Amino acid sequence: MGGSASLWATPDYKSDPREIFNRKLCFVVFGAMLAGCFYGFDTGNIGGVLTLPAFKHAFGFQHLTADEADGRKGDIAAMLAAGGSVGALLAAPVADFFGRKVALLTYGFVFLAGAVMQEFPNLPLFLAGRFIAGLAVGATSTLTPTFLSEWAPKSIRGSCTALYNTAIITCLALAFWINYGVSRWPYDKEKHSNKQWQFSLGVQMIPGFLFVSMIAFAPESARYLISHNKRETGMKNLCAVRKLNHDHPYLATEYQEICAQVDAEQEIKAGHSFLQILKDIFLNASNRRRFTLAVLLFLFHKLTGTDSINYFAPEIFQMIGVKGNSTSLLTTGVYGLVKLGATLIYVGVIIDRVGRRVPLLIGATIQATAMMYIGLYIRFDNPASHEGNGVAAGGIVGIVWVYMYAVGWSIGHSVAPYVVAAEIFPSRIRSTCIGFCLFVNWIVDYGITKATPQMMTHMGYGTFVFFGICTYVGVIWIFFCLPELKGRSIESMDDLFDKSLWTMWKHAYPTEEEKTRHGIIEQVKGGDVETGVQVDSKHGDTVHIENR
């Protein structure tokens, strides 16, 4: 992760101790990021699976009218998002009561149960399986960015948190190509074998097993432990993952920032009851601003229309003029590779060097423009009326714009909302706030996914124009309200959000002093530091020291 020529970190990493970039951190980050595979496979597989003849026969599509078939497609695709919205709300209570690690492990097993249920050609059982898997996808979409951001050093926090999204996009691309591969398998219309779609959906169980195996051996978040008055264990875990002694200046600063934020919160309000947390969110102006920023960011994230393309890309390419099911699946596979390549560049080079704000503004503008072109092309050229097997020139440009949409998504809305939400909230309210953000994410996902087949049938080009206009509005809002978070510590967000949300564009980029919570550097330099615990680096023993 770190190194003499790291692409993953902010320039600040050069002043970080080399020990913090170690195998233990890699293990924690890689194990947690595998949760993104749940989201990627379950989202990427279903769009192509819905087009397979074997799947259509297994679930009775041949007996439905066109409108009924659209409704069933919407129900099957959207059931994951329905479960996700519930899972996002259930994640916070489990994470706050039992801990981040136990919550992740629990929902890992829930996902595996849902994945197994999707292997049976029975519609009620299949829908239940997608809902149960959705519970896990929604919960881990809340928990994983939180867990990653709480463990990652701030110089690579953006990249580490974004690895969750990288896993999503990687598995999304793999799912597209798996769908293309199984579509080339010979299909016996007499025997109606289910192997095509069962194989495509079954692959997601592999990362599921890997995830639960690795999270079982991961340490609990130090920030969670400290915020729940387990400071000795928190310091011990921090020393273990950072590979530093408790008195190292880097570790002392990080620990002191965490304690200072926790103490400040506890001075105002004590306890972790749900009602008390809600009061902290909505009655505290700083927390209310953060909550508003994150929720609206996720709302605009979904209103880009990305779920329509992820779930129904083969049908969208056919609307542009691509002929044949296998050809549209192949074009969809290329779309997945473009997304993956752009995401790797963003995570590896951009997020912790350029930041979150500028790439999001550029990426969202590209997305909006792509949607507007596709909508207007369908409106004025009517590619469905073209004869022959080739794609018209305007359709080829449309395909290019879909791929440009993938690039815009990957450098902007794909990652930024998750990273921002994981970074801006205090530990005390982080799980609840992110849970509500992801509830908004999933409930809007459900509505859009369920409506998309009907929208494409009845609105046609208007579907894409609608998403384009919403995304342009989002660009304007992001410019004024989203500050740059690159290089800031999680605890320094308290100082940043003392300012009005609508003036954030004036304070978008931090000075060196603003990257750390006010007063902490002076305390560390003056030796006025509370450690509360000493870890024997030779034996790993923990010795309690009275707090100052």
Side-chain angles (χ1 to χ4, degrees):
M1 290 180 180
S4 59
S6 175
L7 292 175
W8 295 85
T10 70
D12 297 338
Y13 89 96
K14 295 178 181 178
S15 61
D16 291 343
R18 298 298 91 190
E19 293 88 346
I20 69 173
F21 306 110
N22 56 67
R23 291 181 180 178
K24 186 73 172 180
L25 178 63
C26 289
F27 179 87
V28 171
V29 169
F30 182 77
M33 69 172 273
L34 287 172
C37 300
F38 306 171
Y39 193 166
F41 272 125
D42 231 340
T43 302
N45 276 328
I46 199 64
V49 164
L50 285 168
T51 69
L52 296 175
F55 185 85
K56 289 181 177 180
H57 181 270
F59 292 94
F61 279 83
Q62 69 274 23
H63 304 302
L64 304 177
T65 65
D67 277 348
E68 289 172 340
D70 284 343
R72 182 163 294 183
K73 283 182 182 179
D75 289 338
I76 290 173
M79 195 55 64
L80 178 79
S85 62
V86 178
L89 290 179
L90 294 178
V94 178
D96 284 338
F97 189 79
F98 295 104
R100 318 302 199 217
K101 173 183 172 176
V102 172
L104 284 169
L105 195 58
T106 300
Y107 285 111
F109 284 113
V110 171
F111 175 78
L112 287 172
V116 170
M117 292 170 68
Q118 292 179 64
E119 290 296 293
F120 295 92
N122 177 280
L123 183 60
L125 184 63
F126 187 86
L127 290 173
R130 282 191 63 75
F131 183 86
I132 291 171
L135 286 174
V137 173
T140 54
S141 68
T142 297
L143 298 168
T144 307
T146 300
F147 190 71
L148 289 170
S149 70
E150 290 184 345
W151 268 128
K154 68 179 181 180
S155 62
I156 59 169
R157 189 179 63 235
S159 296
C160 286
T161 308
L163 286 174
Y164 169 71
N165 302 81
T166 305
I168 294 175
I169 301 302
T170 301
C171 291
L172 189 73
L174 285 173
F176 288 156
W177 283 101
I178 290 170
N179 285 339
Y180 173 68
V182 299
S183 76
R184 307 294 296 176
W185 291 4
Y187 173 62
D188 190 333
K189 294 183 179 180
E190 299 297 327
K191 295 182 179 180
H192 298 297
S193 171
N194 294 315
K195 289 188 295 184
Q196 274 186 322
W197 63 269
Q198 287 175 331
F199 178 84
S200 185
L201 293 174
V203 172
Q204 62 191 330
M205 287 186 272
I206 297 173
F209 282 116
L210 283 174
F211 174 78
V212 297
S213 300
M214 295 185 73
I215 287 297
F217 296 98
E220 179 57 272
S221 162
R223 282 179 166 83
Y224 167 80
L225 292 168
I226 293 168
S227 71
H228 283 70
N229 298 316
K230 298 177 181 178
R231 298 195 177 191
E232 293 183 24
T233 308
M235 174 60 107
K236 185 176 180 180
N237 284 7
L238 203 59
C239 290
V241 175
R242 296 288 183 259
K243 300 294 183 184
L244 296 172
N245 291 329
H246 74 282
D247 56 356
H248 190 285
Y250 181 93
L251 196 69
T253 301
E254 183 175 13
Y255 179 78
Q256 190 66 13
E257 280 197 279
I258 299 169
C259 290
Q261 185 179 64
V262 170
D263 290 341
E265 292 171 346
Q266 296 295 349
E267 283 179 13
I268 300 171
K269 298 290 182 181
H272 288 268
S273 71
F274 185 66
L275 180 60
Q276 188 59 62
I277 288 173
L278 288 180
K279 288 180 179 179
D280 287 353
I281 294 170
F282 294 108
L283 299 183
N284 180 291
S286 175
N287 291 340
R288 190 167 60 246
R289 292 183 191 113
R290 302 181 223 204
F291 183 78
T292 301
L293 172 67
V295 168
L296 287 177
L297 196 56
F298 271 103
L299 181 61
F300 284 118
H301 161 86
K302 284 300 170 186
L303 290 176
T304 62
T306 185
D307 295 306
S308 297
I309 295 183
N310 286 343
Y311 286 115
F312 302 105
E315 288 93 333
I316 290 171
F317 279 117
Q318 289 173 2
M319 289 178 72
I320 295 173
V322 177
K323 310 293 184 184
N325 187 50
S326 290
T327 305
S328 65
L329 288 172
L330 175 62
T331 314
T332 302
V334 176
Y335 169 79
L337 289 180
V338 172
K339 251 189 171 181
L340 175 59
T343 301
L344 291 175
I345 293 171
Y346 176 69
V347 174
V349 180
I350 296 174
I351 189 169
D352 274 324
R353 286 176 169 254
V354 179
R356 292 71 158 144
R357 175 182 161 87
V358 172
L360 179 55
L361 288 169
I362 294 172
T365 302
I366 293 172
Q367 285 183 271
T369 306
M371 281 293 191
M372 293 300 289
Y373 175 85
I374 295 168
L376 295 176
Y377 170 66
I378 293 172
R379 167 65 179 83
F380 291 107
D381 198 52
N382 191 19
S385 65
H386 293 177
E387 297 182 358
N389 294 323
V391 181
I396 294 173
V397 175
I399 293 171
V400 172
W401 268 115
V402 173
Y403 295 157
M404 287 299 296
Y405 178 95
V407 172
W409 167 257
S410 299
I411 67 172
H413 275 291
S414 172
V415 176
Y418 294 91
V419 174
V420 169
E423 291 177 323
I424 62 176
F425 295 112
S427 179
R428 175 187 176 85
I429 64 171
R430 185 174 295 128
S431 292
T432 301
C433 288
I434 296 179
F436 190 84
C437 288
L438 269 298
F439 168 75
V440 171
N441 175 80
W442 285 108
I443 202 68
V444 176
D445 183 335
Y446 173 79
I448 289 174
T449 304
K450 184 169 176 57
T452 294
Q454 298 283 354
M455 289 173 71
M456 291 193 300
T457 298
H458 299 290
M459 289 176 61
Y461 78 94
T463 306
F464 306 99
V465 172
F466 168 76
F467 289 131
I469 292 172
C470 289
T471 307
Y472 277 130
V473 172
V475 169
I476 296 170
W477 178 84
I478 289 164
F479 175 82
F480 285 104
C481 296
L482 179 65
E484 181 53 68
L485 305 179
K486 175 177 70 75
R488 300 180 192 260
S489 71
I490 289 177
E491 289 71 29
S492 71
M493 302 299 170
D494 289 351
D495 303 326
L496 174 62
F497 285 96
D498 280 340
K499 305 173 180 68
S500 169
L501 200 60
W502 287 103
T503 64
M504 284 297 169
W505 64 279
K506 298 178 181 179
H507 312 284
Y509 300 95
T511 64
E512 285 302 314
E513 292 75 16
E514 291 172 337
K515 291 181 179 180
T516 305
R517 185 183 178 90
H518 70 278
I520 296 299
I521 295 297
E522 290 76 8
Q523 289 183 28
V524 172
K525 287 181 178 178
D528 185 22
V529 178
E530 172 190 350
T531 59
V533 64
Q534 179 176 343
V535 179
D536 188 324
S537 60
K538 292 183 179 179
H539 303 98
D541 296 330
T542 304
V543 182
H544 181 69
I545 299 175
E546 290 299 324
N547 294 338
R548 58 173 172 78

